[in-house]
Amino acid sequence: MIELTRIINNRPVAVLLPGPSLVKIRGEQLNEFCLASVNHYWIIEKLIGRRIDVLLTAAVENKDYLKRYVDFLSRKNNVFLTEDKFVENLPTTYVDKLVLFKADAPNVIRQIPTEEEPLTFRALPSFAILLLLLTIAGAKKMVMFGADGGELK
């Protein structure tokens, strides 16, 4: 979490999701923001012309995009948030850029977070876990773009 707090650096956070309204946003409009997103970050980066600072992915189906996540990790000044079970597929070189959490499967209810596993969440959409982690890391202001549903064409 220290790395996530460092990356946010007291900036407001723009959470970028792949909804239709995102096409109205350009990177220069977000210069003062720490940029955060989930899953298919490369689509959003191409659209806005800027790199994402914080990325969360954990869904099993995203393991097909492992090379893209390793490419993301190889950059400077970013952080990757993922489930502990997803990390087994990532190179250990980037361990200092990872924030690991646990999320229950929809049909499993785990106990409340513990000292040993403080970042334990119920089954939630990825963007909801991203918002929780950003809040825990001290984000003081968050603005969501592209959160209007649907998908980018």
Side-chain angles (χ1 to χ4, degrees), residues 21-96:
S21 66
L22 190 63
V23 298
K24 299 175 186 173
I25 303 299
R26 292 291 169 250
E28 61 273 4
Q29 295 172 295
L30 302 170
N31 283 341
E32 68 184 74
F33 290 86
C34 171
L35 303 184
S37 191
V38 297
N39 301 326
H40 305 134
Y41 72 93
W42 56 93
I43 297 169
I44 291 172
E45 287 183 340
K46 184 177 178 183
L47 184 68
I48 66 168
R50 275 219 28 227
R51 287 187 163 188
I52 299 296
D53 302 304
V54 178
L55 176 64
L56 181 142
T57 193
V60 173
E61 61 269 18
N62 287 322
K63 287 186 180 180
D64 293 343
Y65 302 105
L66 187 62
K67 182 182 177 333
R68 290 195 185 256
Y69 298 129
V70 172
D71 290 345
F72 178 84
L73 283 164
S74 69
R75 301 177 186 175
K76 293 187 185 297
N77 294 319
N78 62 8
V79 65
F80 188 68
L81 317 173
T82 191
E83 261 192 282
D84 56 347
K85 63 185 175 199
F86 195 88
V87 78
E88 65 195 31
N89 299 297
L90 297 171
T92 56
T93 313
Y94 304 111
V95 70
D96 58 328

Side-chain angles (χ1 to χ4, degrees), residues 117-142:
E117 295 180 335
L119 300 178
T120 300
F121 303 101
R122 297 244 173 162
L124 295 169
S126 294
F127 81 91
I129 293 175
L130 175 61
L131 295 176
L132 291 169
L133 290 170
L134 291 168
T135 301
I136 292 167
K140 294 177 180 38
K141 178 180 180 182
M142 288 183 267

